[in-house]
Amino acid sequence: MEVKGSSNNNKRVLLSSSEDEDMMDLRRGPWTVDEDLTLINYIATHGEGRWNSLARSAGLKRTGKSCRLRWLNYLRPDVRRGNITLEEQLLILELHTRWGNRWSKIAQYLPGRTDNEIKNYWRTRVQKHAKQLKCDVNSKQFKDAMRYLWMPRLVERIQAAAAAAATTTTAPATGINNNAYSHNNNHLNNNFEVHNGKMVLTNTTTPPTVMNNNDFVGSQITTQSYNTPENSSTAASSDSFGTTQVSPISDFNDYNYSVPVNSNNNIINPGDNFYQPCSSSQQVSCNNENPYGLLSHQQQQGIMDLQTMMMVEPNTPWMMQSGDSSDNFWNVENMLFLEQQLMNDNM
DNA sequence: AACGAGCGCAACCGCTGTTTG
DNA sequence: GCAAACAGCGGTTGCGCTCGT
């Protein structure tokens, strides 16, 4: 099966002399449905690991690295797909301030998200904002903007969304986008079901069967297409709070939210509901009237610095733009909000 | 309708650390 | 102890899609 537009599908890769002659024409570029099925079925039967030998044994003309990447970033049953939620954005920003470009480490705290996806999010969204601000993504200005503008606003919006959801529906407001099937890889968007231990394509308009790991392991996929399932147990896990304490740690005290940590003060994998309501003592910093009420003088000075920065070039594109506010905190609303806060602080 | 620019994301590359024989 | 193979990571690239003109 051919992939549209994949001009480099049949590129040859030079290998060392020790490589098997059969592997001399390794495929590159986008994976085909058949290759995906072969890899999934092989792993379902034999498990993952030893990727080079796996690639050979499965008959895939791919490098072991390519197989591993395809499996981990795309075919794994518990890979979450869809938009990065507000909560996930917030967590990414926070963890990046702590660990920098340690994408795999950051990914450990976002269930189902891959390091590649987080890295792409950072490069496409976050760095875009830095570019609009005409400052380096590692500059103090931009970090302050994240800490004192973007992240508090994310917290507010998360809380507002949760409050709105609570008043309009009895359903729990997790804020998690379960749009796991919105990806534009069409061959992955078809529905599937498990019949007689095999995954089969249904191609119906009904919602796809959600398959968990137990469905997957040992199953075979036999049709020409399938859907990458979302691991419902992972995606909906919320019990990780049951036995953990919620304790703001160091840097997190600057913000109006907290993350779950274990007894060693390490952040634990929080699942979907990792955002905890503010305690009563924190509540003053959670309301919409003065979300910066607990900011230190130094932190407020950071806002002042930002205001100065904004005054330098008041008509820069980031001030003018509109559009989806889900990842765009440089909109007029936020600028007015910021100015109001500054005025309040100066009174 | 056609075209070009920009964006998002899957895949690849190169490097480093770890494991294995 | 050493070399080769393997595994994993972060950075980069290139293609398809979307949107504005």
Side-chain angles (χ1 to χ4, degrees):
Chain A
M1 191 172 295
E2 203 57 43
V3 172
K4 184 176 66 176
S6 55
S7 60
N8 57 349
N9 264 3
N10 295 311
K11 281 183 180 175
R12 288 170 182 268
V13 177
L14 291 177
L15 298 173
S16 66
S17 58
S18 63
E19 293 288 339
D20 189 343
E21 282 295 318
D22 292 342
M23 301 300 287
M24 288 301 287
D25 59 337
L26 291 174
R27 287 175 53 81
R28 295 175 61 187
W31 281 62
T32 65
V33 175
D34 288 341
E35 287 178 310
D36 283 346
L37 291 173
T38 299
L39 181 58
I40 288 175
N41 283 330
Y42 188 89
I43 291 176
T45 305
H46 301 93
E48 56 183 290
R50 310 288 295 181
W51 294 102
N52 282 337
S53 60
L54 183 152
R56 281 191 290 269
S57 301
L60 288 164
K61 293 189 178 303
R62 295 274 182 174
T63 65
K65 288 177 75 170
S66 181
C67 293
R68 173 184 166 274
L69 209 62
R70 183 63 177 174
W71 174 254
L72 292 178
N73 285 344
Y74 208 85
L75 299 176
R76 259 189 319 160
D78 57 347
V79 169
R80 274 169 56 84
R81 311 218 68 81
N83 295 333
I84 302 286
T85 65
L86 293 173
E87 289 90 343
E88 288 172 323
Q89 290 180 43
L90 185 57
L91 190 56
I92 290 170
L93 294 180
E94 172 54 40
L95 295 180
H96 189 274
T97 64
R98 300 174 65 83
W99 296 321
N101 296 353
R102 302 281 302 280
W103 307 118
S104 61
K105 188 166 185 173
I106 293 172
Q108 290 174 8
Y109 299 95
L110 287 97
R113 298 295 186 184
T114 67
D115 54 353
N116 209 35
E117 194 171 11
I118 295 168
K119 180 172 57 182
N120 281 332
Y121 166 76
W122 183 266
R123 291 189 61 81
T124 57
R125 311 289 179 80
V126 180
Q127 291 195 347
K128 182 178 73 177
H129 288 313
K131 189 177 179 181
Q132 289 167 346
L133 280 169
K134 296 180 178 178
C135 63
D136 187 86
V137 73
N138 294 316
S139 67
K140 181 180 183 303
Q141 281 179 328
F142 188 73
K143 287 178 178 176
D144 284 345
M146 281 202 310
R147 287 171 66 93
Y148 307 133
L149 289 176
W150 196 347
M151 294 169 73
R153 287 294 277 165
L154 277 174
V155 174
E156 282 178 47
R157 294 179 59 209
I158 290 165
Q159 292 169 345
T167 58
T168 57
T169 175
T170 57
T174 65
I176 296 298
N177 183 351
N178 281 323
N179 182 18
Y181 304 97
S182 63
H183 196 267
N184 61 6
N185 270 24
N186 291 331
H187 75 269
L188 293 174
N189 281 337
N190 296 306
N191 300 327
F192 70 86
E193 290 177 357
V194 177
H195 292 298
N196 299 326
K198 295 177 180 292
M199 226 188 307
V200 295
L201 176 71
T202 60
N203 262 337
T204 65
T205 56
T206 56
T209 303
V210 175
M211 184 176 67
N212 60 31
N213 280 331
N214 292 333
D215 294 329
F216 181 75
V217 173
S219 299
Q220 296 287 314
I221 305 169
T222 57
T223 60
Q224 58 181 317
S225 192
Y226 61 91
N227 201 329
T228 300
E230 180 177 17
N231 184 332
S232 58
S233 63
T234 299
S237 64
S238 59
D239 58 350
S240 56
F241 275 140
T243 57
T244 57
Q245 61 179 128
V246 176
S247 170
I249 54 175
S250 57
D251 314 9
F252 286 78
N253 285 327
D254 292 345
Y255 312 122
N256 303 327
Y257 62 91
S258 58
V259 296
V261 299
N262 60 20
S263 57
N264 295 324
N265 222 25
N266 293 322
I267 304 172
I268 55 116
N269 194 332
D272 284 357
N273 297 326
F274 75 96
Y275 286 98
Q276 299 300 290
C278 293
S279 66
S280 56
S281 62
Q282 293 173 307
Q283 204 64 45
V284 62
S285 65
C286 294
N287 64 48
N288 289 330
E289 294 176 6
N290 188 5
Y292 303 129
L294 294 184
L295 293 183
S296 66
H297 172 74
Q298 184 181 14
Q299 289 165 341
Q300 293 182 18
Q301 185 61 46
I303 296 177
M304 299 296 286
D305 292 342
L306 287 167
Q307 188 189 40
T308 302
M309 178 175 69
M310 293 164 186
M311 293 301 182
V312 173
E313 296 182 73
N315 292 322
T316 48
W318 53 269
M319 282 286 285
M320 311 289 281
Q321 68 181 341
S322 58
D324 179 17
S325 61
S326 65
D327 65 350
N328 176 14
F329 69 109
W330 305 112
N331 54 28
V332 173
E333 176 197 1
N334 285 337
M335 292 303 106
L336 294 174
F337 174 81
L338 174 63
E339 288 179 11
Q340 188 175 4
Q341 296 307 313
L342 292 166
M343 288 179 63
N344 291 340
D345 290 342
N346 290 333
M347 282 181 178

